[in-house]
Amino acid sequence: WPTARWRHTATKINIGGPGLLILGGIGETILSLEEAWFLDTESLTWQHFSVEPALDGSFPAPRHSHAAALGSGGVLVCGGLDADEQILGDAWTLHAVFDGCFKLAWRRALSPLPQPRYGHSLHEHLGHFIVVGGIEARYGPAPVCAYGKPLDIQCDAMKDGEPEIFMWHNLASVLLEGTGYLLVIGGGGN
């Protein structure tokens, strides 16, 4: 079983069957990305994977509050906070390697983040990654960016007939299949 954690990612993926790939987060310490856990959602069993480093021998920094999404090249992981609570802006792809047996390995990737960010979510749409919400150190909240550029978003949230401030971090977002619509729920808090 994986250790108890929070501020991790759970990415829908198929590894011999449908499931969720669990990466990083906070447990008793910031959890390493040198391991991954896969929950088979049909049998409800866990499988542990030791993850191979990138070709240069490096691993992504242990992190929490990062984002992950499945794309054509594997699972892209970007941003988050490291063990010293420093904001990360890097990106890594976790991809399958078949070397006599199934393995997972890291590869450095181009980051879809215009600035380092944490508390965001990530989606793949039509071959591009869309980053939703989060907090950037220099510019404050940046709601959405696509193609590496921030987008202006109109938020019509109202409370008691008054415009409400929408906090674009620690939210849940879902890209609704076949529609091109992005559903954003919640946000704010710690």
Side-chain angles (χ1 to χ4, degrees):
W1 286 79
T3 58
R5 65 189 68 205
W6 61 298
R7 291 192 178 183
H8 56 282
T9 56
T11 306
K12 184 178 172 183
I13 190 170
N14 192 318
I15 300 178
L20 297 172
L21 187 68
I22 310 298
L23 295 168
I26 302 173
E28 290 183 14
T29 62
I30 303 296
L31 296 165
S32 169
L33 293 178
E34 294 180 24
E35 69 169 12
W37 285 89
F38 176 73
L39 174 63
D40 183 312
T41 54
E42 290 180 342
S43 65
L44 297 180
T45 57
W46 289 100
Q47 184 174 359
H48 176 263
F49 289 99
S50 295
V51 181
E52 302 288 318
L55 292 177
D56 66 0
S58 63
F59 283 96
R63 66 191 64 211
H64 68 85
S65 304
H66 54 288
L70 180 62
S72 62
V75 175
L76 182 71
V77 174
C78 65
L81 295 168
D82 70 10
D84 295 321
E85 300 296 309
Q86 297 300 305
I87 302 175
L88 300 166
D90 60 346
W92 295 77
T93 302
L94 187 61
H95 63 102
V97 176
F98 300 97
D99 184 19
C101 65
F102 179 83
K103 296 180 189 175
L104 295 173
W106 286 110
R107 178 173 53 222
R108 288 186 188 269
L110 294 176
S111 180
L113 302 175
Q115 297 290 328
R117 176 186 299 219
Y118 71 95
H120 55 294
S121 60
L122 183 67
H123 303 279
E124 186 277 334
H125 182 63
L126 302 175
H128 299 280
F129 286 97
I130 300 170
V131 181
V132 182
I135 296 174
E136 295 177 345
R138 296 190 308 182
Y139 300 111
V144 178
C145 66
Y147 312 105
K149 306 272 187 224
L151 302 176
D152 290 327
I153 299 295
Q154 179 178 344
C155 182
D156 294 326
M158 301 291 280
K159 183 175 183 178
D160 300 324
E162 297 290 323
E164 183 170 45
I165 296 171
F166 188 84
M167 300 178 112
W168 286 92
H169 64 285
N170 296 336
L171 50 80
S173 62
V174 178
L175 189 61
L176 302 175
E177 285 188 41
T179 68
Y181 288 108
L182 184 68
L183 178 63
V184 177
I185 301 170
N190 189 4

